[in-house]
Amino acid sequence: MLKLIRYILEGNALEALGILLLVLLVRWVFSLLTESNSSHLPHATSDTLLGAHAPEAPTLAPPEVAEAPSSPVPMLLGLGLLLAVLVMGGILLIGQGGSGSLHIVTHTEDPDRDINLRVDNEPVAPVLHDGQHLVYPIPTGPHEIYLRVSSVGVSRNFRADIQRGDALMLSVHPDMCAVQIDMSTLTYGRPPSSSPTRMDGVHVRTLPVVTRFTNTASPLRIPADAFLSFNELPEQLPPQGTASILTPLPCAQAQDDRSTWTAVRELHVGLKDAAQRVGYTEEDPTRGEVSAMDDSHLLDLHQRQGAALARETPP
């Protein structure tokens, strides 16, 4: 159900409504045609009371009666209504232009009361509330956005030009950044991510921190494969697909080093056990650290990770 709601919030509500109307019209036309055909079928009569004790008479062939042609009115009416719905749907798609969504993640106990969101000075209520993740609809076009979080006593103002299907995340505090964590290994058991280096054939395992978002003054465009709660992660990944968690983190902890990964594991305690289970270690570097290593360090790290993997792999 969460995936369906998210699909609608990404600007596909009109398409979903059009499909529903089409299905209802097809069923309605089919029912009309069925009723029209059944009205021309001959009705059976019982001979128990009519002529059951009458003397036998010569059997005469009943006169041939021309079959009344079925009326095309129901079919034409249904097709006309279908055409009208399609035309109106096209007009709505062109005129409305779809919508986008604003996303807020907070760790307060009562987000519904704690968060006050206004778009163009009009209050907006969330259409989805999944734990600490709230989703608000927003029409396309430029908007002034006001956000106040009572628990932190901060009011924020944003500007956004919403395009159809946009999904934007708002930072609840100027010092609250966001970190994207690759869950392909931690949740789905894929091999830990490795980064190629400038040395041919030398790959090293890196931590699952994909990137950091440190500009809190503007709405953050949510990556296509990112989810804002663990409940929203898909049950399984396609062969070449990925899935990640986009989680708020204080900007002081969202650094390009291993301290970011440590802070994320402390925030989401289940990640610590998952990381140990799939083979991440405290020595694994970030992608930025790998790019700054010289050849000798890269080769040494590659050999140490390979030796550790050989020890962990059963013969």
Side-chain angles (χ1 to χ4, degrees):
M1 180 59 71
L2 290 176
K3 298 174 185 176
L4 175 60
I5 296 176
R6 182 174 183 177
Y7 174 78
I8 294 176
L9 291 175
E10 289 174 351
N12 300 305
L14 288 176
E15 288 88 338
L17 177 60
I19 294 174
L20 176 60
L21 290 176
L22 178 60
V23 171
L24 292 177
L25 277 173
V26 170
R27 293 189 61 182
W28 179 72
V29 172
F30 179 77
S31 64
L32 284 180
L33 293 176
T34 303
E35 293 177 1
S36 176
N37 291 333
S38 63
S39 64
H40 298 292
L41 294 177
H43 298 281
T45 59
S46 174
D47 61 351
T48 303
L49 297 178
L50 298 179
H53 303 286
E56 295 185 1
T59 304
L60 300 177
E64 294 184 0
V65 180
E67 183 180 355
S70 59
S71 174
V73 173
M75 179 178 294
L76 294 178
L77 181 60
L79 292 177
L81 288 175
L82 175 59
L83 179 61
V85 170
L86 293 178
V87 171
M88 290 298 297
I91 294 175
L92 288 174
L93 285 174
I94 295 174
Q96 182 176 346
S99 61
S101 57
L102 297 176
H103 299 249
I104 297 176
V105 176
T106 176
H107 297 290
T108 60
E109 295 181 357
D110 192 357
D112 287 325
R113 294 186 177 182
D114 190 39
I115 294 178
N116 178 16
L117 182 69
R118 292 178 175 269
V119 176
D120 299 329
N121 207 30
E122 294 292 333
V124 182
V127 295
L128 174 64
H129 186 177
D130 180 25
Q132 306 301 317
H133 176 202
L134 286 81
V135 184
Y136 300 79
I138 183 170
T140 57
H143 298 285
E144 299 286 339
I145 303 169
Y146 169 83
L147 171 64
R148 177 170 178 78
V149 183
S150 301
S151 60
V152 296
V154 173
S155 299
R156 310 210 62 197
N157 293 281
F158 303 91
R159 290 183 178 181
D161 189 359
I162 304 298
Q163 305 298 318
R164 185 184 179 198
D166 277 352
L168 305 178
M169 179 180 177
L170 302 179
S171 175
V172 299
H173 193 279
D175 296 330
M176 185 63 69
C177 296
V179 178
Q180 184 179 359
I181 305 298
D182 184 11
M183 301 298 295
S184 301
T185 299
L186 296 167
T187 299
Y188 304 98
R190 289 188 177 178
S193 58
S194 61
S195 297
T197 67
R198 56 179 172 272
M199 301 179 65
D200 292 339
V202 175
H203 290 68
V204 294
R205 183 177 60 244
T206 54
L207 294 175
V209 179
V210 178
T211 187
R212 303 168 299 121
F213 299 94
T214 57
N215 179 16
T216 64
S218 300
L220 163 63
R221 189 174 302 277
I222 301 175
D225 67 337
F227 301 85
L228 275 69
S229 72
F230 292 94
N231 294 335
E232 300 175 35
L233 288 170
E235 294 182 1
Q236 58 183 355
L237 293 179
Q240 302 300 326
T242 59
S244 58
I245 286 292
L246 189 63
T247 182
L249 195 68
C251 295
Q253 298 177 339
Q255 304 298 319
D256 191 18
D257 55 32
R258 278 168 273 186
S259 63
T260 298
W261 174 234
T262 301
V264 171
R265 286 182 301 168
E266 292 177 352
L267 179 63
H268 303 292
V269 293
L271 291 181
K272 182 176 181 180
D273 295 336
Q276 293 177 346
R277 184 176 64 252
V278 299
Y280 285 111
T281 69
E282 297 296 334
E283 295 184 356
D284 291 339
T286 66
R287 300 180 183 185
E289 291 174 333
V290 169
S291 62
M293 289 182 180
D294 56 30
D295 291 355
S296 60
H297 286 151
L298 287 175
L299 185 58
D300 178 65
L301 179 60
H302 172 73
Q303 292 173 346
R304 285 190 288 111
Q305 288 183 344
L309 180 62
R311 290 193 301 268
E312 296 172 0
T313 304

